[in-house]
Amino acid sequence: MTENPETAPETPHRKVTFRFIVRWILIGAALFWSLAVLMLVAARWIDPPTTAVHMERRLQAWMHHRPYHERYEFVPLSQISPDFQHAVIAAEDARFYQHHGFDWGAMEIAAEDDMEGGRLRGGSTITQQLVKNLFFGTGRSILRKGAEFTLVPVAELVLGKRRILELYLNVVEWGPGVYGAESACRYYYRTSARNIGREEAARLAAILPSPLRRRPERMNHYSELIQERMRRMGW
């Protein structure tokens, strides 16, 4: 029986095309990962001029024809109040100084702390959130999580805890177009990050899980929980 050439399968050609696509996807992923590692190494000494989240918000505003004003001022950790630093750690990553990038216990009990129908924090550590802010934006996917999983140990190794905290406090989103501790303090309280009070710091830390929807003045219950956690941690 002879095969009709018009209906003959094109399996070899399709296999070649599929392999070609997969190969270039893997090459692209490897290049992105290598670039991210180099940027993390550079971030040990160089303050990032922008992040993936900053660019994402700028693009969203442009696509929806909305005005966009970015407030982003990078300040040294020494110019951020210890109360502010402690409030963010207590709210976002209580075992920040004990883990090496991942807090497996927190991942298992992420739904434990309900506050006004929400959560005090998720299972992601400050290091994970920094990597996400720098390179991946706010989107969620298995691929993003996988890449994040490989970059977090690199961040811990090349940056160290102090620099990780400094970077996170300076780049994280605190409101529409508001990025970093200094900008947040000036936007909400007309003061500097150095002079922010304990209660105000707790209120600002409380809006981090949802900075575009939450407002510090509404965070009464959240901020009380954060301050209580700070007291338990010796702060």
Side-chain angles (χ1 to χ4, degrees):
M1 178 179 179
T2 59
E3 191 172 35
N4 188 340
E6 294 182 359
T7 60
E10 299 180 2
T11 303
H13 176 70
R14 291 177 181 174
K15 284 184 177 179
V16 170
T17 303
F18 179 75
R19 289 173 183 170
F20 179 81
I21 293 172
V22 170
R23 181 184 305 152
W24 279 104
I25 289 174
L26 293 176
I27 290 173
L31 289 173
F32 174 83
W33 188 88
S34 301
L35 179 61
V37 170
L38 289 174
M39 291 175 67
L40 284 173
V41 173
R44 182 166 183 170
W45 301 280
I46 302 172
D47 302 333
T50 188
T51 72
V53 172
H54 298 191
M55 291 186 286
E56 178 185 338
R57 297 306 188 202
R58 196 177 300 120
L59 179 62
Q60 288 173 344
W62 177 78
M63 290 177 63
H64 293 91
H65 306 288
R66 293 195 303 258
Y68 179 80
H69 175 62
E70 183 172 294
R71 300 169 180 84
Y72 175 45
E73 182 179 352
F74 201 104
V75 297
L77 193 62
S78 59
Q79 293 184 25
I80 300 175
S81 159
D83 279 336
F84 201 178
Q85 298 178 38
H86 297 159
V88 170
I89 293 172
E92 294 289 288
D93 188 359
R95 297 188 67 251
F96 175 65
Y97 290 110
Q98 283 76 51
H99 64 65
H100 299 289
F102 301 100
D103 188 348
W104 306 108
M107 292 180 185
E108 294 177 0
I109 60 172
E112 186 177 276
D113 292 319
D114 285 342
M115 300 188 312
E116 298 181 0
R119 291 187 302 200
L120 181 57
R121 60 171 295 263
S124 295
T125 63
I126 284 176
T127 312
Q128 288 177 272
Q129 293 180 59
L130 174 63
V131 168
K132 183 181 75 171
N133 270 267
L134 289 175
F135 304 116
F136 302 108
T138 61
R140 296 182 180 181
S141 71
I142 295 176
L143 288 176
R144 193 269 291 173
K145 273 292 183 184
E148 175 190 301
F149 189 85
T150 64
L151 288 170
V152 165
V154 177
E156 287 275 334
L157 178 65
V158 302
L159 296 175
K161 293 294 186 181
R162 179 179 175 84
R163 182 59 172 167
I164 287 171
L165 182 61
E166 183 176 62
L167 287 167
Y168 178 73
L169 288 172
N170 274 286
V171 305
V172 71
E173 186 176 38
W174 246 298
V178 181
Y179 304 100
E182 183 71 15
S183 298
C185 290
R186 295 196 180 278
Y187 180 74
Y188 290 111
Y189 292 112
R190 302 295 188 268
T191 189
S192 66
R194 182 198 293 271
N195 297 320
I196 194 75
R198 183 182 180 90
E199 181 180 345
E200 290 79 11
R203 288 179 177 274
L204 286 174
I207 70 174
L208 282 174
S210 187
L212 299 183
R213 290 183 297 197
R214 295 182 180 180
R215 299 282 298 182
E217 63 271 16
R218 300 173 185 166
M219 297 296 105
N220 296 335
H221 182 52
Y222 285 52
S223 62
E224 288 173 5
L225 289 173
I226 291 170
Q227 290 180 80
E228 175 58 31
R229 181 174 287 181
M230 290 168 68
R231 284 189 286 270
R232 291 201 307 266
M233 295 172 71
W235 293 328

